Amino acid sequence: MKFTNIEIRACRHEPDQAYSLKDGKPIDFEFLAMRFDTDEGLSVETFGFAGRSALAMGAVSAELLRPFFLGRDPDYRELHWHEYRRFNRAWNFTPAYAYAPYDIACHLAQAQASGLPLYKHLGAVRDSVPIYGSSLTLPTAQAYADEAKALQARGWAAYKLHPPADMDIAFEAHRLCREAVGPDFRLMSDPVNNFNFQQNLHFGKMLEELNYYWLEEPMFDECHGSMRELTRALRIPIVGGETAENHPAGVAELVATRAVDIVRGDASWSGGITGLMKTAHLAEAHGMNCEIHTAIYHPLELVNLHCAAAIRNNEFFEVLVPEELFAIGLKDPIDVRDGHAHLPQTPGLGIALDWDFIDNATLKVL
């Protein structure tokens, strides 16, 4: 079996609700929608992350990655992963998330050919995964508490805050969330490197007093020394590694030297399923959890869910909330019941992409 045609669509979707990221820019969803055809009549489809420009990343994908993969056999995905590392070093330097949909397509082709759901192709450990909601950056401290309380009422497993850089608002938001949900509901914090080392010490001790479950990305992932010192100084688990390039090698130092207590990865930013699974197995060998980072758009979140169901040292499935904002691109929603996301049982991804939506979102076919 070989890939004979790869269609790449650069897409943009403007959501009805107005939200912004930490940089203050409104959220416009830029992504790639991709279809891979084989010489045996089998086709697979997936999304690709495109940052702030689908046209730019679509051009990178079409000019560098598509020629590399055309004519290749998806069964040799491990060989492709190693050969692409060398290819990429030869002045190509594409980001890991650009490689990810090609690696995902290899896994999906294998799963579909074998008649198995993706997670059973990978090696299943469970059929559902506890789900938690991860906030956007919200305008007030009370808004976080209201969102946490709403998810608790729906039976979700936990809630994670992405607080603003204003330390006073951040502190107040975390206190109000704990008051809103009581002492036992799991709360996590991800300030996305808002604070310096001394501020993180103060912030982390406050989270310990409030019984928070973890502190994520307190500093940039490459700040190994400072991250290591935080893990020594604080009782709360320190989580990191999601932005490191070239998983698993990019997080090996974090894991081996215990600069984090829990490592992060996902099927998009970690360079596909292969990179994520290698990171999870690296962490497992060190007695550490690998918690899967949101892949944002639900077609990629579904890939994450399959991986989570095949990784024993992973506790949760993360989605951004409000989840309906990001539930684009799939014909049917991910099955969430009783605080768990449940795996589809049909071969491959299990839920088809919504090509009517993709047609409307397409800026250019490359």
Side-chain angles (χ1 to χ4, degrees), residues 189-203:
S189 179
D190 182 359
V192 193
N193 50 74
N194 278 341
F195 310 129
N196 64 29
F197 180 80
Q198 291 299 328
Q199 290 171 323
N200 272 306
L201 278 179
H202 185 41
F203 184 63

Side-chain angles (χ1 to χ4, degrees), residues 300-332:
L300 290 171
E301 295 286 39
L302 184 55
V303 178
N304 269 354
L305 178 60
H306 279 279
C307 293
I311 297 173
R312 188 172 183 272
N313 55 316
N314 173 85
E315 189 170 0
F316 299 113
F317 172 56
E318 177 186 23
V319 295
L320 292 171
V321 291
E323 73 272 20
E324 62 272 11
L325 191 67
F326 304 92
I328 60 171
L330 291 176
K331 277 193 172 181
D332 298 302

Side-chain angles (χ1 to χ4, degrees), residues 138-215:
L138 303 181
T140 67
Q142 185 60 47
Y144 289 97
D146 293 342
E147 195 166 68
K149 186 69 175 176
L151 288 182
Q152 182 187 39
R154 292 171 61 187
W156 284 33
Y159 176 69
K160 187 174 76 182
L161 295 79
H162 286 102
D166 185 305
M167 185 165 274
D168 291 336
I169 296 176
F171 274 48
E172 183 66 11
H174 287 78
R175 291 191 184 98
L176 288 177
C177 280
R178 178 51 73 203
E179 291 174 6
V181 300
D184 299 324
F185 185 70
R186 285 175 177 164
L187 293 171
M188 296 87 102
S189 179
D190 182 359
V192 193
N193 50 74
N194 278 341
F195 310 129
N196 64 29
F197 180 80
Q198 291 299 328
Q199 290 171 323
N200 272 306
L201 278 179
H202 185 41
F203 184 63
K205 289 176 180 177
M206 182 270 292
L207 294 180
E208 289 174 348
E209 292 174 2
L210 294 173
N211 192 33
Y212 270 65
Y213 201 57
W214 73 52
L215 170 58

